[in-house]
Coordinates of all heavy atoms in Angstrom, one line a residue:
A1 N 37.3 -15.3 213.2 CA 37.4 -15.9 214.6 C 38.8 -15.4 215.3 O 38.8 -15.1 216.5 CB 37.3 -17.4 214.5
A2 N 39.8 -15.3 214.4 CA 41.1 -15.0 215.0 C 41.1 -13.5 215.4 O 41.9 -13.0 216.1 CB 42.2 -15.2 213.8
S3 N 40.1 -12.7 214.9 CA 40.1 -11.3 215.1 C 39.3 -11.0 216.4 O 39.3 -9.9 216.9 CB 39.5 -10.5 214.0 OG 38.1 -10.7 213.9
L4 N 38.7 -12.1 217.1 CA 37.9 -11.9 218.3 C 38.9 -11.5 219.4 O 39.9 -12.1 219.6 CB 37.1 -13.2 218.7 CG 36.0 -13.5 217.7 CD1 35.5 -14.9 218.1 CD2 35.0 -12.6 217.7
T5 N 38.5 -10.6 220.2 CA 39.3 -10.2 221.4 C 39.1 -11.3 222.5 O 38.2 -12.1 222.5 CB 38.8 -8.8 222.0 OG1 37.5 -9.0 222.4 CG2 38.9 -7.8 220.9
D6 N 40.0 -11.2 223.5 CA 39.8 -12.1 224.6 C 38.5 -12.0 225.3 O 37.9 -13.0 225.6 CB 40.9 -11.8 225.7 CG 42.3 -12.2 225.2 OD1 42.4 -13.0 224.1 OD2 43.4 -11.8 225.8
R7 N 38.0 -10.8 225.5 CA 36.7 -10.5 226.1 C 35.6 -11.1 225.2 O 34.6 -11.8 225.7 CB 36.5 -9.1 226.5 CG 35.2 -8.9 227.2 CD 35.0 -9.6 228.5 NE 35.7 -8.6 229.5 CZ 36.0 -9.0 230.8 NH1 35.7 -10.3 231.2 NH2 36.5 -8.2 231.6
E8 N 35.7 -10.9 223.9 CA 34.6 -11.5 223.1 C 34.6 -12.9 223.1 O 33.5 -13.5 223.1 CB 34.9 -10.9 221.7 CG 34.6 -9.5 221.4 CD 35.1 -8.9 220.2 OE1 35.9 -9.5 219.4 OE2 34.7 -7.7 219.9
L9 N 35.8 -13.6 223.2 CA 35.9 -15.1 223.3 C 35.3 -15.5 224.6 O 34.5 -16.6 224.7 CB 37.3 -15.6 223.2 CG 38.0 -15.5 221.9 CD1 39.5 -15.7 221.9 CD2 37.3 -16.5 220.9
Q10 N 35.4 -14.7 225.7 CA 34.8 -15.1 227.0 C 33.3 -15.0 226.8 O 32.6 -15.9 227.3 CB 35.3 -14.1 228.1 CG 36.8 -14.3 228.4 CD 37.2 -13.3 229.5 OE1 36.7 -12.2 229.4 NE2 38.2 -13.7 230.3
V11 N 32.8 -13.9 226.2 CA 31.4 -13.8 226.1 C 30.8 -14.9 225.1 O 29.9 -15.5 225.4 CB 31.1 -12.4 225.5 CG1 29.6 -12.3 225.0 CG2 31.4 -11.2 226.4
L12 N 31.6 -15.3 224.1 CA 31.2 -16.3 223.2 C 31.1 -17.6 223.9 O 30.1 -18.4 223.7 CB 32.2 -16.4 222.0 CG 31.9 -17.4 221.0 CD1 30.5 -17.1 220.3 CD2 32.9 -17.4 219.8
H13 N 32.0 -18.0 224.8 CA 31.9 -19.1 225.6 C 30.6 -19.2 226.4 O 29.9 -20.1 226.6 CB 33.1 -19.3 226.6 CG 34.3 -19.9 225.9 ND1 35.2 -19.2 225.2 CD2 34.6 -21.3 225.9 CE1 36.2 -20.0 224.8 NE2 35.9 -21.2 225.1
G14 N 30.3 -17.9 227.0 CA 29.0 -17.9 227.8 C 27.8 -18.1 226.9 O 26.9 -18.8 227.4
I15 N 27.8 -17.5 225.8 CA 26.7 -17.7 224.8 C 26.5 -19.2 224.5 O 25.4 -19.8 224.5 CB 26.9 -17.1 223.5 CG1 26.9 -15.5 223.7 CG2 25.9 -17.4 222.5 CD1 27.3 -14.7 222.5
C16 N 27.7 -20.0 224.3 CA 27.7 -21.4 223.9 C 27.3 -22.2 225.1 O 26.8 -23.3 225.0 CB 29.0 -21.8 223.5 SG 29.4 -21.2 221.9
E17 N 27.3 -21.7 226.3 CA 26.9 -22.4 227.6 C 25.4 -22.0 227.8 O 24.8 -22.6 228.8 CB 27.8 -21.9 228.8 CG 29.2 -22.4 228.8 CD 30.0 -21.8 230.0 OE1 29.4 -21.5 231.0 OE2 31.2 -21.7 229.8
G18 N 24.9 -21.2 226.9 CA 23.4 -21.0 227.0 C 23.2 -19.9 228.1 O 22.0 -19.7 228.5
L19 N 24.2 -19.1 228.4 CA 23.9 -18.0 229.5 C 23.2 -16.8 228.9 O 23.5 -16.5 227.7 CB 25.2 -17.6 230.1 CG 26.0 -18.7 230.9 CD1 27.3 -18.1 231.4 CD2 25.3 -19.3 232.0
Q20 N 22.4 -16.1 229.6 CA 21.9 -14.9 229.2 C 22.9 -13.8 229.4 O 23.8 -13.9 230.1 CB 20.6 -14.6 230.1 CG 19.4 -15.6 230.0 CD 18.4 -15.2 230.9 OE1 18.4 -14.4 231.8 NE2 17.3 -16.0 230.8
N21 N 22.6 -12.7 228.7 CA 23.6 -11.5 228.8 C 23.8 -11.1 230.2 O 25.0 -10.9 230.5 CB 23.0 -10.4 228.0 CG 23.1 -10.6 226.5 OD1 23.7 -11.5 226.1 ND2 22.4 -9.7 225.7
K22 N 22.8 -11.1 231.0 CA 23.0 -10.6 232.4 C 23.8 -11.6 233.2 O 24.6 -11.2 234.1 CB 21.6 -10.3 233.2 CG 20.8 -11.5 233.3 CD 19.4 -11.0 234.0 CE 18.4 -12.2 233.9 NZ 17.0 -11.7 234.4
E23 N 23.7 -12.9 232.9 CA 24.5 -13.9 233.6 C 26.0 -13.8 233.2 O 26.9 -14.0 234.0 CB 24.0 -15.3 233.2 CG 22.6 -15.6 233.9 CD 22.0 -17.0 233.3 OE1 22.0 -17.2 232.1 OE2 21.5 -17.6 234.1
I24 N 26.2 -13.6 231.8 CA 27.5 -13.3 231.4 C 28.2 -12.1 232.0 O 29.3 -12.1 232.4 CB 27.5 -13.2 229.8 CG1 27.1 -14.6 229.2 CG2 28.9 -12.9 229.3 CD1 26.8 -14.5 227.7
A25 N 27.4 -11.1 232.1 CA 27.8 -9.7 232.7 C 28.3 -10.1 234.1 O 29.3 -9.6 234.6 CB 26.8 -8.8 232.6
H26 N 27.4 -10.8 234.9 CA 27.7 -11.1 236.3 C 29.0 -11.8 236.4 O 29.8 -11.6 237.3 CB 26.6 -11.8 237.0 CG 26.8 -12.1 238.4 ND1 26.7 -11.1 239.4 CD2 27.1 -13.3 239.0 CE1 27.0 -11.7 240.6 NE2 27.2 -13.0 240.4
R27 N 29.2 -12.8 235.6 CA 30.3 -13.8 235.6 C 31.7 -13.0 235.4 O 32.6 -13.3 236.1 CB 30.2 -14.9 234.5 CG 31.5 -15.7 234.5 CD 31.4 -16.8 233.4 NE 30.4 -17.8 233.8 CZ 30.2 -18.9 233.1 NH1 30.8 -19.1 232.0 NH2 29.4 -19.9 233.6
F28 N 31.6 -12.0 234.5 CA 32.9 -11.3 234.2 C 33.0 -9.9 234.9 O 33.9 -9.2 234.6 CB 33.1 -11.2 232.8 CG 33.2 -12.5 232.1 CD1 32.2 -13.0 231.2 CD2 34.3 -13.4 232.4 CE1 32.4 -14.2 230.6 CE2 34.4 -14.6 231.8 CZ 33.5 -15.1 230.9
G29 N 31.9 -9.6 235.6 CA 31.9 -8.3 236.4 C 31.9 -7.1 235.5 O 32.6 -6.1 235.7
I30 N 31.0 -7.2 234.4 CA 30.9 -6.2 233.4 C 29.4 -5.9 233.4 O 28.6 -6.7 233.8 CB 31.5 -6.4 232.0 CG1 30.9 -7.7 231.4 CG2 33.0 -6.5 232.1 CD1 31.4 -8.0 230.1
R31 N 29.1 -4.8 232.7 CA 27.7 -4.4 232.6 C 26.9 -5.2 231.5 O 27.6 -5.4 230.5 CB 27.5 -2.9 232.5 CG 28.0 -2.1 233.6 CD 28.0 -0.5 233.5 NE 26.6 -0.2 233.0 CZ 26.3 0.9 232.2 NH1 27.4 1.6 231.7 NH2 25.2 1.2 231.9
E32 N 25.7 -5.3 231.7 CA 25.0 -6.1 230.6 C 25.0 -5.3 229.3 O 25.1 -6.0 228.1 CB 23.5 -6.2 231.0 CG 22.7 -7.2 230.1 CD 21.3 -7.4 230.6 OE1 20.9 -7.0 231.7 OE2 20.5 -8.0 229.9
V33 N 24.9 -4.0 229.3 CA 25.1 -3.3 228.0 C 26.4 -3.5 227.3 O 26.4 -3.6 226.1 CB 24.8 -1.8 228.2 CG1 25.9 -1.2 229.0 CG2 24.7 -1.0 226.9
T34 N 27.5 -3.8 228.1 CA 28.8 -4.1 227.5 C 28.8 -5.5 226.9 O 29.3 -5.7 225.8 CB 29.9 -4.1 228.6 OG1 29.8 -2.8 229.2 CG2 31.3 -4.3 228.0
V35 N 28.0 -6.4 227.5 CA 27.8 -7.7 227.0 C 27.2 -7.7 225.7 O 27.6 -8.3 224.6 CB 27.1 -8.8 227.9 CG1 26.9 -10.1 227.3 CG2 28.0 -8.9 229.2
K36 N 26.1 -6.8 225.6 CA 25.3 -6.7 224.4 C 26.2 -6.2 223.2 O 26.2 -6.6 222.1 CB 24.2 -5.8 224.5 CG 23.1 -6.3 225.4 CD 21.9 -5.4 225.5 CE 20.8 -6.0 226.5 NZ 19.8 -5.0 226.7
M37 N 27.2 -5.3 223.6 CA 28.1 -4.7 222.6 C 28.9 -5.8 222.1 O 29.2 -5.9 220.9 CB 28.9 -3.5 223.3 CG 29.9 -2.9 222.3 SD 31.0 -1.9 223.2 CE 32.0 -3.0 224.2
H38 N 29.5 -6.6 223.0 CA 30.4 -7.7 222.5 C 29.7 -8.7 221.7 O 30.3 -9.2 220.7 CB 31.0 -8.3 223.8 CG 32.0 -7.5 224.5 ND1 33.1 -7.0 224.0 CD2 32.1 -7.3 225.8 CE1 33.8 -6.4 224.9 NE2 33.2 -6.5 226.0
V39 N 28.4 -9.0 222.0 CA 27.7 -10.0 221.3 C 27.4 -9.4 219.9 O 27.5 -10.2 218.9 CB 26.3 -10.2 221.9 CG1 25.3 -11.0 221.0 CG2 26.4 -10.9 223.2
R40 N 27.1 -8.1 219.7 CA 27.0 -7.6 218.4 C 28.3 -7.7 217.6 O 28.3 -8.1 216.4 CB 26.5 -6.1 218.4 CG 25.1 -5.9 218.7 CD 24.6 -4.5 218.4 NE 25.4 -3.5 219.2 CZ 25.0 -3.1 220.4 NH1 23.9 -3.6 220.9 NH2 25.7 -2.1 221.0
A41 N 29.4 -7.4 218.3 CA 30.6 -7.5 217.6 C 31.0 -9.0 217.1 O 31.5 -9.2 216.0 CB 31.8 -7.0 218.5
I42 N 30.7 -9.9 218.0 CA 30.9 -11.4 217.7 C 30.1 -11.8 216.5 O 30.6 -12.4 215.7 CB 30.5 -12.2 219.0 CG1 31.6 -12.0 220.1 CG2 30.5 -13.6 218.6 CD1 31.1 -12.5 221.4
V43 N 28.9 -11.4 216.6 CA 27.9 -11.8 215.5 C 28.4 -11.2 214.1 O 28.5 -11.9 213.1 CB 26.4 -11.3 215.7 CG1 25.5 -11.5 214.5 CG2 25.9 -12.1 216.9
R44 N 28.8 -10.0 214.2 CA 29.3 -9.3 213.1 C 30.6 -10.0 212.5 O 30.7 -10.2 211.3 CB 29.5 -7.8 213.2 CG 30.1 -7.1 212.1 CD 30.2 -5.5 212.4 NE 30.8 -5.2 213.7 CZ 32.1 -5.3 214.0 NH1 33.0 -5.6 213.0 NH2 32.6 -5.0 215.2
K45 N 31.5 -10.2 213.4 CA 32.9 -10.7 213.0 C 32.8 -12.2 212.5 O 33.4 -12.6 211.5 CB 33.8 -10.7 214.1 CG 34.3 -9.4 214.5 CD 35.3 -9.4 215.6 CE 35.8 -8.0 216.0 NZ 36.8 -8.1 217.1
L46 N 31.8 -13.0 213.0 CA 31.6 -14.3 212.5 C 30.6 -14.4 211.4 O 30.5 -15.5 210.8 CB 31.1 -15.2 213.7 CG 32.0 -15.5 214.8 CD1 31.4 -16.3 215.9 CD2 33.5 -16.0 214.4
G47 N 30.0 -13.3 210.9 CA 29.2 -13.3 209.8 C 27.9 -14.1 210.0 O 27.2 -14.7 209.2

């Protein structure tokens, strides 16, 4: 958890709020494919 980047933490908050990838992408002004990349990293880092 300590190794999560600021953006990964933002995406994680979105996941916890029940947002879809496209909603998270819109919220932070990034592409949905970028959100998917962050989600994969979050899942991996948290085991």
Side-chain angles (χ1 to χ4, degrees):
S3 74
L4 293 175
T5 66
D6 289 342
R7 181 65 85 192
E8 287 167 352
L9 286 170
Q10 290 173 331
V11 170
L12 184 56
H13 275 90
I15 294 170
C16 289
E17 290 174 27
L19 299 179
Q20 297 175 353
N21 287 348
K22 62 183 174 184
E23 294 171 314
I24 295 169
H26 181 73
R27 175 179 286 185
F28 299 114
I30 57 179
R31 295 176 55 213
E32 188 174 354
V33 67
T34 306
V35 174
K36 289 179 183 178
M37 179 190 71
H38 288 310
V39 170
R40 279 196 303 271
I42 291 164
V43 168
R44 180 176 44 79
K45 287 181 181 182
L46 293 182

